[in-house]
Amino acid sequence: MAGKDRKKELARQRYERQQQRRAAEAARARKLKVFGSAAAVAVIALGGAGILLFTGEDEPSGENAAAEATAAAANGECVYTPSEEPGAPEDLGTPPAKPARTGTVNATVKTNQGEVVLQLDGKNAPCTVNSFAFLTEKNYYDDSPCHRLTSGGLNVLQCGDPTGQGTGGPGYKYADENLDGATYGKGTLAMANSGPGTNGSQFFMVYEDSQLPPDYTVFGKITTGMDVLEKIAAAGSDPEGDGAPKKKVTIEDVTVAAAG
């Protein structure tokens, strides 16, 4: 092969590798969504890979939820719509419509691996912070696992599903907030979802800059405890890149500062 042709072939191969890597990272980022939070999910093993099949009713339109939330926001209220999903306590109820915390609020997530201190953004994500505080007061997160660890283009620890399967939730959903210009740099605290307007209880903590579209409500940041997350991340996941943390993580208790 002539030198010029050889250079072209190497360039072509390098370009193909780059495209494959970008496609893989984009696919991993899309997988951050909590698939099936309002629908039954069947996992069929095929050659070692899991194929997700969705059954049940489609999610209500995210646009309708957003419009309802916008109307409520004009009155300083939040809309929490009942939904069916695994792990939802029958007597949990829904958060109050009027958020009690509309400023900066501190919270602490105590895990078996150490404490992570959060600063919640009640100004830009009042309904999300309101829900998080409500679930905390109901001890919803106590003794629940952080079931998912990702690495690569997406670097997060995902928690908030008491079932540990990635499909559970609190039995209600609500609209997205604070998406305009959202980025997911190291230290970001955001909600996982299964599409527009499907926030529930699952959240993720970013331990290294991650590439994601602005589709996930940012409701705070990590102020202390990044070393805890980095320790968990360093141990890896099973399967590698996106799976359960090898270093098991259990939320023991979550506290949110009193409204004031």
Side-chain angles (χ1 to χ4, degrees), residues 13 19 27 43 58 71 76 94 130 146-147 164 180 184 209 215 233 237-239 250:
Q13 292 176 358
Q19 292 300 104
V43 181
D58 293 337
T94 57
N130 189 47
C146 289
H147 62 279
D180 189 22
Y184 304 90
D209 290 356
D215 296 337
S237 63
D238 185 17
T250 301

Coordinates of all heavy atoms in Angstrom, one line a residue, residues 13 19 27 43 58 71 76 94 130 146-147 164 180 184 209 215 233 237-239 250:
Q13 N -9.7 4.6 9.8 CA -9.8 3.7 10.9 C -9.9 4.5 12.2 O -10.7 4.2 13.1 CB -8.6 2.7 11.0 CG -8.6 1.7 9.9 CD -7.4 0.8 9.9 OE1 -6.5 1.0 10.8 NE2 -7.3 -0.1 9.0
Q19 N -16.0 7.6 16.1 CA -17.4 7.5 16.0 C -18.0 6.4 16.9 O -19.1 6.6 17.5 CB -17.8 7.3 14.5 CG -17.5 8.5 13.6 CD -18.2 9.8 14.1 OE1 -17.6 10.7 14.7 NE2 -19.5 9.9 13.8
A27 N -24.9 6.4 24.0 CA -25.9 5.3 24.5 C -25.8 5.2 26.0 O -26.9 5.0 26.6 CB -25.5 4.0 23.8
V43 N -37.1 -8.2 31.4 CA -35.7 -8.3 31.0 C -35.5 -9.7 30.5 O -35.6 -10.7 31.2 CB -34.7 -8.0 32.1 CG1 -33.3 -8.1 31.7 CG2 -35.0 -6.6 32.7
D58 N -48.7 3.9 28.1 CA -47.7 4.9 27.8 C -47.7 6.0 28.9 O -48.7 6.3 29.5 CB -47.9 5.5 26.5 CG -47.7 4.5 25.3 OD1 -47.0 3.6 25.6 OD2 -48.3 4.7 24.3
A71 N -48.7 26.4 35.3 CA -49.9 27.1 35.9 C -49.8 27.1 37.4 O -50.1 28.1 38.0 CB -51.2 26.4 35.4
G76 N -47.2 29.6 43.0 CA -46.2 29.2 44.0 C -46.4 27.8 44.5 O -46.1 27.4 45.6
T94 N -48.5 12.2 48.9 CA -47.7 13.1 48.1 C -47.3 14.3 48.9 O -47.9 14.7 49.9 CB -48.5 13.5 46.9 OG1 -49.7 14.2 47.3 CG2 -48.9 12.4 46.0
N130 N -38.7 20.2 47.5 CA -39.9 19.9 48.3 C -40.2 18.4 48.4 O -40.4 17.8 49.5 CB -41.1 20.6 47.7 CG -42.3 20.6 48.6 OD1 -42.3 20.8 49.8 ND2 -43.5 20.3 48.0
C146 N -27.8 2.4 46.7 CA -27.4 3.2 45.5 C -27.1 2.1 44.5 O -26.1 1.4 44.6 CB -26.2 4.1 45.8 SG -26.7 5.5 46.9
H147 N -28.0 1.9 43.6 CA -28.0 0.7 42.8 C -27.2 0.8 41.5 O -27.0 -0.3 40.8 CB -29.5 0.3 42.4 CG -30.1 1.4 41.5 ND1 -30.7 2.5 42.1 CD2 -30.3 1.5 40.2 CE1 -31.2 3.3 41.1 NE2 -31.0 2.7 40.0
G164 N -33.9 -1.3 44.5 CA -32.6 -1.6 44.1 C -32.6 -2.1 42.6 O -31.5 -2.5 42.1
D180 N -32.9 24.8 31.9 CA -32.3 25.8 31.0 C -30.8 25.9 31.2 O -30.4 26.4 32.2 CB -33.0 27.1 31.1 CG -32.6 28.1 30.0 OD1 -32.2 27.7 29.0 OD2 -32.8 29.3 30.3
Y184 N -23.7 19.0 33.7 CA -23.6 18.0 34.7 C -22.1 17.8 35.1 O -21.5 16.7 34.8 CB -24.3 16.7 34.2 CG -25.7 17.0 33.9 CD1 -26.1 17.4 32.6 CD2 -26.7 16.9 34.9 CE1 -27.4 17.7 32.3 CE2 -28.0 17.2 34.6 CZ -28.4 17.6 33.3 OH -29.7 17.9 33.0
D209 N -16.9 15.1 35.7 CA -17.7 15.8 34.6 C -18.3 14.8 33.7 O -17.6 13.8 33.2 CB -16.8 16.7 33.9 CG -16.3 17.9 34.7 OD1 -16.8 18.1 35.8 OD2 -15.5 18.7 34.1
D215 N -31.7 17.3 30.2 CA -33.0 16.7 30.4 C -33.3 16.3 31.8 O -34.3 15.7 32.1 CB -33.1 15.4 29.5 CG -33.1 15.8 28.0 OD1 -33.4 16.9 27.7 OD2 -32.7 14.9 27.2
A233 N -16.4 4.9 43.3 CA -16.2 4.9 41.8 C -14.9 4.1 41.5 O -14.9 3.3 40.5 CB -16.1 6.3 41.2
S237 N -17.8 -1.1 38.9 CA -19.1 -1.6 38.9 C -19.2 -3.0 38.2 O -18.2 -3.4 37.6 CB -20.1 -0.6 38.1 OG -19.7 -0.6 36.7
D238 N -20.3 -3.7 38.4 CA -20.5 -5.0 37.8 C -21.9 -5.0 37.1 O -22.9 -4.9 37.8 CB -20.4 -6.1 38.8 CG -20.5 -7.5 38.3 OD1 -20.3 -7.6 37.0 OD2 -20.7 -8.4 39.0
P239 N -21.9 -5.0 35.7 CA -20.8 -5.0 34.8 C -20.0 -3.7 34.8 O -20.5 -2.7 35.2 CB -21.4 -5.3 33.5 CG -22.8 -4.8 33.6 CD -23.2 -5.1 35.0
T250 N -25.2 1.6 50.7 CA -26.5 1.7 51.3 C -26.7 3.0 52.0 O -25.9 3.4 52.8 CB -26.7 0.5 52.3 OG1 -26.5 -0.7 51.7 CG2 -28.1 0.6 53.0

